[in-house]
Amino acid sequence: MRLGLLTACLPGEPLEDIARWAGGHGYAALEIAAWPDRPGRDWEASHLDVESFGKDDAARVSAMLDRHGLSVSAVAYYENNLHADLEVREATHEHLRRCVDAAQLLGVGLVGTFVGRDVTLTVAENLRLAERVLPPLVEYAAARDVRLVIENCPMEGWHPDGYPANLAYSPELWGRLAELGLWLNYDPSHLVWLGIDPLAALEAHADRILHVQAKDVEVQAAARDRYGVFGRVLDRRPWESGWWRYRIPGLGEVDWRRLIDALHQHGYDGVVSVEHEDPVWSGSPERVRQGLTIAQRTLDPHVNV
């Protein structure tokens, strides 16, 4: 097992600067963000230009990572593959295919994404949509020795009322997604605020986990008593529930000692990739790196045993 980080937390930093820092601060792998470089969306990281990525680019990136003692755990592009707008959906699929192409050139076997949801349809209708839309993407990846790993984030901010907008939010649906050829990028933080025991979910689905994201969550039970599990309704703001927030591993509710021990017991030998979305340790690249240092100190004793 190795410790890595998702580069999306440093969207304005060059990939080599991130690699230099990560290699010098106890990290062994990068989950490289590869969103399209779109004007006005500075929060999206484009550390791989997959639209024009070729063999020379792959050789350059691989050599650079080797210099810093790093590998690539996955190419990361978390978007809504079931978007209600057909043009947006197809553009998302096209970019996902370019991420798969880049992963193949880099010799990386995983691309991380979301299933998503058409928020104009019911969950049952979305499952039928997924059965039609997703297999061609899985097949495209498989033909290039790449597998798609799906993060189990609810993506409640995509839904106008804060309901789950990513079909992979619930372990009940993981088996259905597995039938479509999708694998898990397991993130325990989402399960905690949904009231799901992350250890029980891991035990039941360990054979589908090919990648792990390490993010924690802080729960304020008194605020939940006021707002309910779906969060604030009046004066609602996307991505702010009013009763929970994401934190750096070790600063929230997840028992990382037991969780990583369970991964060891099930033979997981991949990467545990820190996904930094902690508002306390954000605001500047320096603060983000301080948060990543806290995460490394928390996780490394359990990962590298």
Side-chain angles (χ1 to χ4, degrees):
M1 207 181 298
R2 292 163 293 143
L3 185 62
L5 66 89
L6 173 58
T7 66
C9 60
L10 291 164
E13 301 288 298
L15 180 59
E16 182 155 16
D17 288 358
I18 297 172
R20 182 182 300 109
W21 183 91
H25 289 80
Y27 286 94
L30 297 182
E31 181 185 359
I32 304 182
W35 273 261
D37 188 2
R38 295 180 282 192
R41 298 176 72 90
D42 311 357
W43 64 89
E44 291 179 339
S46 304
H47 291 129
L48 287 180
D49 181 6
V50 298
E51 297 295 336
S52 62
F53 201 75
K55 292 182 179 179
D56 291 345
D57 301 295
R60 174 181 51 79
V61 170
S62 297
M64 180 271 291
L65 294 173
D66 284 345
R67 288 197 300 273
H68 299 294
L70 298 169
S71 62
V72 183
S73 66
V75 175
Y77 175 54
Y78 297 96
E79 277 294 350
N80 188 349
N81 283 292
L82 301 181
H83 200 286
D85 185 315
L86 294 181
E87 289 187 8
V88 173
R89 186 193 300 170
E90 180 48 42
T92 300
H93 293 178
E94 184 62 22
H95 191 78
L96 181 60
R97 287 189 283 267
R98 298 293 77 75
C99 288
V100 169
D101 294 341
Q104 180 188 28
L105 289 171
L106 287 166
V108 179
L110 304 177
V111 169
T113 190
F114 289 135
V115 173
R117 176 181 178 177
D118 179 341
V119 296
T120 70
L121 303 177
T122 66
V123 170
E125 290 168 333
N126 268 276
L127 285 169
R128 291 194 290 273
L129 175 63
E131 289 168 358
R132 186 176 79 251
V133 167
L134 298 180
L137 296 171
V138 171
E139 292 164 9
Y140 185 92
R144 289 152 182 81
D145 295 320
V146 174
R147 289 180 285 188
L148 301 180
V149 287
I150 303 299
E151 186 187 348
N152 55 289
C153 177
M155 293 307 291
E156 71 289 345
W158 282 347
H159 194 288
D161 293 319
Y163 303 143
N166 174 30
L167 291 188
Y169 78 97
S170 169
E172 179 188 8
L173 302 177
W174 293 353
R176 290 285 294 274
L177 298 176
E179 292 172 2
L180 302 182
L182 299 167
W183 300 79
L184 274 175
N185 186 5
Y186 175 79
D187 184 333
S189 65
H190 309 298
L191 298 168
V192 171
W193 74 259
L194 287 169
I196 299 167
D197 180 349
L199 279 169
L202 188 158
E203 294 286 345
H205 299 276
D207 62 332
R208 300 301 300 177
I209 298 172
L210 297 184
H211 198 269
V212 173
Q213 284 186 331
K215 185 165 72 265
D216 219 323
V217 63
E218 178 184 6
V219 171
Q220 297 175 343
R224 181 178 57 204
D225 289 341
R226 177 181 180 187
Y227 297 124
V229 69
F230 295 114
R232 179 189 285 118
V233 175
L234 304 177
D235 301 319
R236 184 175 189 86
R237 287 172 289 184
W239 313 112
E240 293 185 22
S241 73
W243 68 271
W244 63 266
R245 61 181 179 174
Y246 294 127
R247 298 302 310 273
I248 285 294
L251 301 179
E253 310 290 327
V254 177
D255 187 336
W256 293 101
R257 181 184 64 83
R258 292 183 63 209
L259 190 140
I260 294 176
D261 179 61
L263 288 169
H264 280 297
Q265 290 187 49
H266 283 282
Y268 179 76
D269 62 357
V271 169
V272 177
S273 178
V274 175
E275 184 184 18
H276 184 336
E277 293 184 348
D278 188 324
V280 177
W281 295 101
S282 296
S284 70
E286 293 72 27
R287 291 283 289 178
V288 170
R289 288 186 175 95
Q290 286 176 301
L292 292 171
T293 298
I294 295 170
Q296 188 274 335
R297 291 172 179 169
T298 299
L299 298 172
D300 192 69
H302 308 302
V303 170
N304 292 305
V305 294

